[in-house]
């Protein structure tokens, strides 16, 4: 939690929201009219499916999950949103009620910005309108990627892709596959190992990947048994970074048949130099 953010004015907080980049100081002031701070404890419902959408929610700090739930209590998490991300655009612009449920995963502070303020800015500022369209387009692209992943990738591939995305988010430059012999041992260690900090619980991540928590844990166990990684709470230690990126790149670029052939080849190679690992969960 950022204590400075907690005490900041609404106008100051709104000016930090990426969606509002490009708005003039006067427009930011107009956007803050009627806006209010919302403090929510962990597990608090922000809105439910079919609730009326009265405005845009901005997450100042904390995490919020969007999800569906069945009458029997089963839950499917669509996505997890964090700092300075926004909730409710689709319902707001369509003039419809909320289509999903939103619940906090930890203590949160949010801003509620009135629907009328957003619509007025759209009408008066073309740059803001393009920013909103870009934001919605990225959301649609993310949903398409998720559907493709559920339909075309095995559970193991989804987990590796997720870990690769988290690794690149924390370490934007791609890793160097080859290393010069004159580099120090400490430098080599930094380049061949990586720690990925999971942003939320394994159960939430599993649901986002369309897996049960047990299946997700089993995949991590099998990848650990193969020497690819090790797990310490929410920290994933990539012990074989070169092979980890090879898996991720092959999954992203190859056809399904090529992926299977390459994985089989790598498995045979590993078996030649170490005891046979457990069969990887799909």
């Amino acid at each position: 939690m950022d204590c400075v953010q907690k005490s900041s004015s609404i106008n100051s907080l709104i000016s930090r929201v990426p969606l509002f980049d490009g708005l003039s100081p006067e427009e930011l002031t107009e956007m803050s009219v009627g806006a209010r701070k919302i403090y929510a404890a962990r597990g608090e419902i922000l809105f439910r499916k079919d609730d009326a959408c009265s405005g845009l929610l901005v997450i100042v700090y904390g995490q919020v999950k969007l999800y569906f739930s069945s009458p029997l209590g089963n839950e499917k998490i669509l996505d997890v949103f964090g700092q300075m991300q926004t909730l409710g655009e689709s319902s707001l612009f369509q003039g419809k009620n909320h289509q999903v449920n939103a619940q906090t995963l930890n203590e949160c502070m949010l801003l509620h910005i009135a629907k009328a303020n957003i619509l007025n800015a759209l009408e008066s500022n073309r740059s803001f309108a393009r920013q909103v369209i870009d934001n919605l387009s990225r959301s649609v692209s993310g949903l398409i990627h998720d559907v493709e992943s559920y339909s075309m990738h095995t559970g193991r591939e989804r987990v590796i892709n997720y870990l690769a995305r988290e690794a690149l988010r924390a370490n934007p430059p791609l890793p160097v596959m080859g290393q010069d012999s004159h580099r120090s041992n400490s430098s080599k260690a930094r380049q061949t190992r990586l720690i990925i900090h999971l942003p939320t619980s394994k159960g939430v991540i599993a649901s986002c990947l369309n897996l049960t928590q047990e299946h997700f844990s089993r995949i991590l166990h099998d990848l650990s048994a193969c020497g690819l990684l090790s797990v310490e709470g929410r920290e994933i230690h990539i012990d074989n970074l070169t092979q980890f990126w090879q898996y991720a790149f092959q999954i992203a670029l190859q056809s399904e048949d090529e992926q299977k052939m390459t994985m089989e080849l790598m498995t045979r190679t590993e078996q030649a130099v170490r005891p046979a690992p457990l069969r990887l969960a799909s």
Side-chain angles (χ1 to χ4, degrees), residues 84-262:
M84 290 304 166
Q85 291 186 289
T86 54
L87 306 171
E89 294 102 314
S90 177
S91 300
L92 188 154
F93 298 130
Q94 293 183 81
K96 295 183 177 180
N97 294 339
H98 288 294
Q99 302 168 53
V100 296
N101 307 298
Q103 183 180 29
T104 61
L105 291 172
N106 42 38
E107 184 180 351
C108 292
M109 174 181 165
L110 306 99
L111 294 178
H112 178 277
I113 302 175
K115 180 177 181 178
N117 294 2
I118 302 293
L119 296 179
N120 289 339
L122 280 175
E123 292 180 1
S124 61
N125 189 316
R126 292 183 178 181
S127 177
F128 177 60
R130 287 194 295 268
Q131 182 85 343
V132 167
I133 291 171
D134 180 67
N135 202 51
L136 291 172
S137 297
R138 281 187 275 111
S139 296
V140 172
S141 295
L143 288 174
I144 291 172
H145 176 273
D146 290 343
V147 172
E148 178 187 20
S149 179
Y150 303 155
S151 305
M152 307 299 292
H153 293 164
T154 66
R156 180 190 61 237
E157 290 165 351
R158 275 175 262 162
V159 170
I160 292 176
N161 273 340
Y162 174 81
L163 294 177
R165 291 197 301 273
E166 288 301 311
L168 288 174
R169 184 176 291 116
N171 305 273
L174 290 175
V176 178
M177 305 303 286
Q179 298 182 18
D180 296 332
S181 58
H182 67 273
R183 294 182 180 177
S184 67
N185 289 333
S186 62
S187 176
K188 288 182 179 181
R190 285 195 299 271
Q191 291 181 348
T192 56
R193 290 180 60 85
L194 179 69
I195 298 177
I196 300 171
H197 300 271
L198 298 181
T200 187
S201 69
K202 295 185 181 73
V204 169
I205 294 170
S207 184
C208 288
L209 297 177
N210 207 34
L211 301 169
T212 64
Q213 185 170 352
E214 293 76 13
H215 193 179
F216 181 68
S217 296
R218 188 167 68 250
I219 291 171
L220 290 179
H221 178 273
D222 289 349
L223 293 174
S224 178
C226 289
L228 187 70
L229 54 81
S230 55
V231 182
E232 296 183 12
R234 285 195 183 180
E235 289 188 349
I236 306 295
H237 295 250
I238 305 300
D239 301 319
N240 191 330
L241 188 56
T242 299
Q243 189 177 49
F244 171 77
W245 286 116
Q246 287 175 344
Y247 278 132
F249 292 154
Q250 285 152 5
I251 290 168
L253 299 176
Q254 291 183 338
S255 68
E256 186 174 3
D257 289 339
E258 289 173 323
Q259 291 171 24
K260 291 179 180 179
M261 291 175 61
T262 304

Side-chain angles (χ1 to χ4, degrees), residues 19-49:
L19 182 64
F20 302 144
D21 285 348
L23 292 183
S24 68
E26 294 77 14
E27 289 171 322
L28 289 172
T29 299
E30 291 175 3
M31 189 70 73
S32 67
V33 173
R36 68 181 192 276
K37 296 178 181 179
I38 298 174
Y39 297 97
R42 178 183 177 182
E44 189 167 332
I45 300 295
L46 299 176
F47 54 78
R48 297 184 186 276
K49 183 180 179 182

Side-chain angles (χ1 to χ4, degrees), residues 10-26:
I10 287 178
N11 192 284
S12 173
L13 292 172
I14 287 178
S15 68
R16 304 180 197 177
V17 180
L19 182 64
F20 302 144
D21 285 348
L23 292 183
S24 68
E26 294 77 14

